[in-house]
Amino acid sequence: MPFFLDVILPLPLKETFTYVITPAEAAVIQPGMRIIVPFGKRKKYTAISWHVHQTPPKTYVPKQIDSIIDEKAVLSHKQLDFLHWIADYYQAPIGLVARTAVPSVMLLESETEMATHQWDRVPQSLSQKASSLLHQLNHNSTYSIAQIQQLISIKNPYGIIKELVASGCVSLKEAVYAKYAPKQQTEIRLHENIYDDDTLKKTLEDFSSKPKQYQTLLTFLQQKTPVIKADFVKLESVSSSSLNTLIKHHVLTKHQRIIDRLPPKLSADESLTALSSHQLQATSAIKQYWKEKNVVLLHGVTGSGKTEVYMHLISQQLAKGKQVLFLVPEIGLTTQLMQRLYTYFGKQLVVYHSKYSPQERAETWDKILTNKTTARLVLGARSAVLLPYQELGLVVVDESHEMSYKQFEATPRYHARDAAMVLAHKHHAKVILGSATPSIESYAHAQSGKYGLVSLTQRYQDAQLPEITYVDLAEAHRKKQMSGHLAQPLVQAIQETLRASKQVLLFQNRRGYASFIECRQCAHVPQCPSCDVSLTYHQVTKELRCHYCGYMDQYTAACVACGTLAPQTQGLGTQQLEEEVQALFPSARIGRMDLDTTRKKNAHQKLINAFARQEIDILIGTQMITKGLDFKQVTLVGVISADNFLHFPDFRAHERAFQVLTQVAGRAGRLGDKSKVLIQTFQPQHPVLGLVRNYDFPAFFDIQIEQRKQFGYPPFVRMMRIELKHKNMSSLITASDWLKKGLVERFPNVLGPVAPVVGRVRNFYILHILIKLPLNASQSAAKNRLESLLKSFAMVGSFSQVKVAVDVDPQ
């Protein structure tokens, strides 16, 4: 009987595809290997092997595989099982889950190439452009599509290529090239001909009459090994031509050595510092809970030393030879944390996130797959949960309440915190969820006994939490006590802090210069042509930008509608705040941390290090500065406006307001210095702000959990949100109404369809439908019903252009 192989293709496909394989191939193929397979008319893809069997597919004739890339699996059985869980739970195509997990350089795809043949004369039937192209081509040669585009300066040359193929002068083929190449270093060594001291002495005598070669050889002999060519040729006494001569005469030789793109730590790791009595109690309590539960919520106030507790528990797992995953919600948080972990675990630490190159990520992937001792501790953002762990012993989810752990836009829309707990379960590993402001769901699970709950209520070395004061903006405006967007109490507090040679953090959660610009005469506001939002003004580049689709337009001093000069800015962004603060404090050194200033790979690290070295007096930033950062000399935090958080149209608005304000307040007074937080607001009497002032999370939780229970929101229900997109609003409404009727027949609680806050993005109108599921209902049965309905929906011809995405546990 023939053998068949089911594979996962890195495409938006929910099912595996079956190919024919030989008995010899069946004997060597393991689940998790990369296999080159043909798919479609011509393309070839890197698929992931899943299952070898002898049952042919019923609906199509299977093709043969092209080749086997690996000798060993690059995805372990546990990881394959985990990826299938993500696909099933988050209703995502398994192909996209695999594509998200595996570094892009490991997933080879074929590229179309054009091969020319021998021709005696150019066929007269060809068009002028096709004839012109053929004149530029050599016989029996191969050209990529990019090369063809350059030759004829046409973006889409496929019509011309089709003409040439029909003429018989050329043909098309698919070629697969390796994208990953190890990094190599050229080293200079003595040639094997120089085998002893006597031979070397004679060689020196032979070149003594050639000063440059002689000096280059002497310099080489003085160097420590290995002698790296790139560094060696920079030395004053070394001549490149002389070096080449010595190589030509077999005195020296070049050697290529593969090196690590992420070089290991050479110095010894330091010993961990001793824990305080509170930290020791917390560590002991966590271990005690782990005897019965796999997950523990560590609820510690900001500055209580949660990271030190993590590190001691990490050390114990590494001593057992286990792997540890340390998750952080954003790339920016890896900078400081990496420096701390590097001190104690640098010889076993690797970092994994999207700012690293695909080549670097592929090398990290391989280290973790082969369980190298240099990659036992993995520090990373959301995608690090998808790495191929072999012996996972502990998962630490720092700032576990953060929304950034949720993938919002691209499929799969997984939540790294929840996925990490499932991953740990598959490895029989333990989990710590750390936060000063846990999510309502996590704290509810801890209160119910599903998770262990350990609290750290004291700051490290008994440092006092900063005093929180609210500045009434309504009163400040009435009394004319505003300097730009800063009220007088905040300005005075900044002055006092700078005089004391301390540092200031100012938080404004909007980048750019202004939210929008408005004409003074006709009230025209420039809008994004593709999204239902106004364009944000960026003064540094004199651009108007859409923060949803990336559209940019040049700022003009005259209104495009009526010609009036100098339209006024509305709303406050970090650029404008930086300008105002610099005008108020001209001698202060000011830095800004937002998406615009941290786009480059090491930009986060440079800013954070400069602030830590006190090269910056005032750091202005968005939510990047509110969490996880530890600056010893910050004694003042200013929040420019708290009102936007309180009135966002979402049932989690108050939860997020409490979290953000508490977290940003926690950046002050880390060394125990008397510190304060000034929060500007038009509603200083708002009940949430009162709870923030007292750092009273338990009281806040009691209020929120009662409201969630009353109105039917998590953790008392599970939710699935269906997002529908179409370029025509009328067609979208028709499709959403049809789908809503089908959902109502299958589910007891369906809300919508309703447009989100921004109802059109990238020319697609958007509608949301929300499904609430009782906790006692079968989740798998509900998802099966939904999947069946969506298949029927897709079969309706008029709905074929409607894009549908399912978001399980939307945030």
Side-chain angles (χ1 to χ4, degrees):
M1 287 184 67
F3 285 88
F4 300 94
L5 173 66
D6 292 342
V7 301
I8 301 168
L9 282 155
L11 298 168
L13 302 168
K14 287 203 167 186
E15 62 277 345
T16 58
F17 273 76
T18 304
Y19 289 82
V20 176
I21 56 174
T22 65
E25 290 169 336
V28 299
I29 292 177
Q30 306 167 15
M33 282 183 169
R34 292 176 299 162
I35 313 290
I36 299 294
V37 298
F39 189 75
K41 290 183 178 180
R42 192 180 289 118
K43 290 287 286 183
K44 295 177 183 178
Y45 292 92
T46 302
I48 305 297
S49 60
W50 172 243
H51 179 50
V52 175
H53 58 89
Q54 292 186 291
T55 306
K58 296 179 180 179
T59 57
Y60 57 91
V61 177
K63 299 178 181 179
Q64 291 185 331
I65 67 170
D66 191 80
S67 59
I68 303 170
I69 296 179
D70 303 306
E71 294 181 2
K72 295 181 180 179
V74 296
L75 283 87
S76 66
H77 176 74
K78 286 180 181 176
Q79 190 187 16
L80 282 172
D81 188 38
F82 177 56
L83 297 184
H84 270 275
W85 175 86
I86 289 178
D88 179 62
Y89 185 83
Y90 290 104
Q91 295 288 281
I94 182 62
L96 288 185
V97 176
R99 192 174 190 91
T100 302
V102 181
S104 59
V105 293
M106 295 173 64
L107 293 175
L108 315 180
E109 292 182 12
S110 64
E111 297 177 8
T112 302
E113 292 184 339
M114 190 178 77
T116 61
H117 307 309
Q118 194 81 26
W119 64 85
D120 296 327
R121 57 188 178 81
V122 176
Q124 293 182 350
S125 59
L126 291 179
S127 66
Q128 183 178 350
K129 288 183 178 179
S131 177
S132 173
L133 173 61
L134 197 59
H135 278 297
Q136 299 180 66
L137 303 178
N138 296 320
H139 293 178
N140 302 319
S141 300
T142 300
Y143 296 87
S144 69
I145 299 300
Q147 289 172 319
I148 299 298
Q149 288 172 324
Q150 288 180 347
L151 286 173
I152 57 177
S153 302
I154 294 177
K155 190 174 183 181
N156 186 356
Y158 289 99
I160 296 171
I161 293 173
K162 189 176 179 180
E163 268 193 78
L164 295 178
V165 171
S167 72
C169 295
V170 305
S171 61
L172 296 180
K173 64 178 184 178
E174 291 292 312
V176 180
Y177 298 104
K179 294 181 181 179
Y180 173 74
K183 187 175 182 179
Q184 294 187 334
Q185 178 175 275
T186 303
E187 296 177 356
I188 304 299
R189 299 178 180 178
L190 274 176
H191 197 277
E192 58 186 11
N193 293 341
I194 315 297
Y195 49 82
D196 58 21
D197 290 345
D198 290 339
T199 311
L200 178 59
K201 183 178 179 182
K202 185 178 183 310
T203 302
L204 285 168
E205 290 173 355
D206 291 344
F207 280 93
S208 61
S209 60
K210 301 175 181 178
K212 289 186 177 181
Q213 286 95 320
Y214 183 76
Q215 186 60 48
T216 298
L217 183 55
L218 280 180
T219 305
F220 169 80
L221 296 173
Q222 294 170 343
Q223 304 303 305
K224 292 181 180 179
T225 57
V227 178
I228 301 167
K229 182 186 176 185
D231 297 331
F232 184 61
V233 295
K234 293 178 183 177
L235 300 175
E236 287 185 13
S237 56
V238 174
S239 161
S240 294
S241 59
S242 299
L243 175 61
N244 291 333
T245 302
L246 291 170
I247 293 171
K248 181 180 178 181
H249 286 84
H250 302 302
V251 177
L252 301 178
T253 182
K254 291 190 293 185
H255 175 74
Q256 297 294 328
R257 186 166 70 90
I258 295 175
I259 62 171
D260 199 331
R261 282 186 168 84
L262 306 167
K265 181 181 180 183
L266 299 177
S267 58
D269 290 340
E270 296 181 15
S271 299
L272 290 169
T273 55
L275 296 177
S276 68
S277 58
H278 297 295
Q279 291 169 329
L280 282 170
Q281 290 172 9
T283 305
S284 177
I286 290 170
K287 291 180 184 177
Q288 191 63 35
Y289 271 122
W290 276 346
K291 293 178 180 178
E292 298 178 357
K293 305 177 189 299
N294 289 329
V295 182
V296 175
L297 174 61
L298 177 58
H299 177 212
V301 297
T302 55
S304 59
K306 295 186 290 295
T307 304
E308 280 71 22
V309 173
Y310 301 153
M311 289 196 290
H312 277 260
L313 294 169
I314 288 168
S315 177
Q316 293 165 17
Q317 292 295 324
L318 294 177
K320 297 176 185 177
K322 296 286 188 179
Q323 293 172 312
V324 177
L325 169 60
F326 198 131
L327 281 176
V328 291
E330 291 183 6
I331 294 169
L333 295 186
T334 61
T335 300
Q336 268 199 335
L337 193 53
M338 180 184 71
Q339 292 168 350
R340 295 177 70 179
L341 294 175
Y342 189 80
T343 301
Y344 305 109
F345 309 112
K347 288 187 173 294
Q348 302 180 75
L349 175 68
V350 290
V351 182
Y352 189 87
H353 55 66
S354 59
K355 285 291 177 75
Y356 282 100
S357 72
Q359 306 274 5
E360 289 169 331
R361 278 181 275 165
E363 290 188 6
T364 301
W365 176 285
D366 184 65
K367 288 179 183 178
I368 295 165
L369 176 68
T370 53
N371 199 12
K372 289 189 177 178
T373 56
T374 54
R376 290 275 168 80
L377 174 55
V378 181
L379 172 64
R382 184 174 54 224
S383 58
V385 78
L386 303 172
L387 288 166
Y389 302 99
Q390 302 299 305
E391 294 289 337
L392 191 62
L394 173 64
V395 177
V396 177
V397 186
D398 196 24
E399 309 292 355
S400 62
H401 64 279
E402 273 296 325
M403 290 170 53
S404 303
Y405 281 121
K406 174 73 172 180
Q407 173 83 331
F408 280 100
E409 294 182 356
T411 302
R413 302 186 183 199
Y414 67 100
H415 198 301
R417 178 195 65 208
D418 300 341
M421 289 189 279
V422 174
L423 175 68
H425 176 73
K426 292 183 181 298
H427 284 265
H428 306 290
K430 303 300 181 184
V431 180
I432 304 175
L433 306 178
S435 177
T437 53
S439 69
I440 298 299
E441 291 94 322
S442 294
Y443 201 75
H445 291 324
Q447 292 280 41
S448 69
K450 183 177 179 180
Y451 305 160
L453 177 60
V454 176
S455 297
L456 273 171
T457 57
Q458 298 279 335
R459 270 192 155 189
Y460 187 65
Q461 295 182 339
D462 294 327
Q464 294 299 306
L465 286 163
E467 176 189 353
I468 297 177
T469 303
Y470 295 106
V471 178
D472 190 337
L473 286 176
E475 183 178 349
H477 279 285
R478 182 173 57 82
K479 293 182 177 180
K480 295 183 171 38
Q481 294 178 341
M482 296 294 296
S483 298
H485 291 83
L486 275 64
Q488 199 58 39
L490 181 55
V491 173
Q492 291 173 353
I494 294 172
Q495 289 172 338
E496 293 169 4
T497 304
L498 296 178
R499 278 198 295 266
S501 299
K502 298 294 183 181
Q503 292 174 295
V504 180
L505 280 180
L506 293 179
F507 170 51
Q508 171 61 14
N509 199 36
R510 185 179 292 276
R511 65 187 175 101
Y513 187 84
S515 305
F516 59 93
I517 59 172
E518 182 180 42
C519 177
R520 302 171 189 268
Q521 186 68 29
C522 69
H524 171 74
V525 176
Q527 299 285 316
C528 174
S530 304
C531 310
D532 284 345
V533 291
S534 55
L535 295 173
T536 301
Y537 175 46
H538 289 250
Q539 189 183 47
V540 175
T541 55
K542 297 294 182 184
E543 290 173 338
L544 298 171
R545 295 186 200 166
C546 174
H547 290 174
Y548 285 84
C549 71
Y551 171 83
M552 288 190 297
D553 196 4
Q554 211 55 39
Y555 169 77
T556 57
C559 172
V560 296
C562 70
T564 301
L565 292 175
Q568 61 186 1
T569 59
Q570 300 287 354
L572 177 68
T574 49
Q575 289 181 9
Q576 186 176 355
L577 180 60
E578 179 183 21
E579 183 182 277
E580 289 184 3
V581 172
Q582 191 70 77
L584 286 168
F585 308 100
S587 60
R589 297 164 297 176
I590 298 171
R592 174 165 55 88
M593 183 183 287
D594 55 28
L595 188 61
D596 298 314
T597 61
T598 57
R599 291 184 186 277
K600 294 183 179 179
K601 181 176 177 179
N602 297 314
H604 271 113
Q605 187 170 343
K606 290 177 181 177
L607 264 171
I608 288 171
N609 289 344
F611 194 61
R613 293 192 300 265
Q614 290 187 272
E615 294 170 5
I616 296 172
D617 300 313
I618 302 172
L619 182 61
I620 296 166
T622 56
Q623 284 199 46
M624 291 180 180
I625 68 170
T626 66
K627 52 214 169 193
L629 299 175
D630 188 4
F631 299 118
K632 306 299 183 185
Q633 299 300 321
V634 173
T635 58
L636 174 65
V637 170
V639 178
I640 306 306
S641 175
D643 300 314
N644 292 340
F645 296 103
L646 296 170
H647 301 296
F648 195 78
D650 189 286
F651 75 94
R652 288 192 173 95
H654 286 179
E655 177 186 5
R656 287 172 182 157
F658 186 94
Q659 289 167 343
V660 168
L661 296 177
T662 302
Q663 290 286 341
V664 73
R667 300 312 107 205
R670 310 284 285 197
L671 269 185
D673 296 331
K674 187 176 180 181
S675 57
K676 52 187 175 181
V677 178
L678 270 65
I679 300 175
Q680 298 188 153
T681 175
F682 284 97
Q683 303 176 80
Q685 303 307 316
H686 196 287
V688 171
L689 298 183
L691 295 167
V692 170
R693 174 187 280 143
N694 298 323
Y695 298 97
D696 196 348
F697 179 80
F700 174 76
F701 170 79
D702 289 341
I703 294 170
Q704 286 294 300
I705 202 70
E706 187 57 38
Q707 291 178 356
R708 300 276 184 97
K709 185 176 182 180
Q710 181 181 353
F711 295 105
Y713 282 103
F716 299 101
V717 299
R718 287 190 178 276
M719 297 196 306
M720 292 190 291
R721 184 171 63 206
I722 302 172
E723 182 180 81
L724 297 99
K725 293 182 178 180
H726 196 280
K727 291 189 175 182
N728 182 283
M729 189 61 177
S730 177
S731 300
L732 182 63
I733 292 172
T734 302
S736 63
D737 287 343
W738 187 97
L739 188 59
K740 168 72 177 289
K741 289 176 183 177
L743 290 170
V744 169
E745 292 175 0
R746 291 164 174 80
F747 301 100
N749 198 345
V750 181
L751 304 176
V754 64
V757 175
V758 179
R760 183 173 63 105
V761 175
R762 301 180 189 272
N763 282 322
F764 281 92
Y765 293 95
I766 306 169
L767 289 175
H768 287 165
I769 300 175
L770 188 68
I771 304 170
K772 291 184 178 181
L773 298 171
L775 294 180
N776 58 4
S778 169
Q779 303 298 310
S780 59
K783 289 171 183 175
N784 288 338
R785 292 198 301 272
L786 177 59
E787 186 173 358
S788 175
L789 177 62
L790 292 179
K791 282 183 179 179
S792 300
F793 177 85
M795 293 172 66
V796 179
S798 57
F799 300 158
S800 60
Q801 298 301 312
V802 178
K803 294 186 176 183
V804 181
V806 178
D807 189 359
V808 179
D809 300 335
Q811 295 295 300

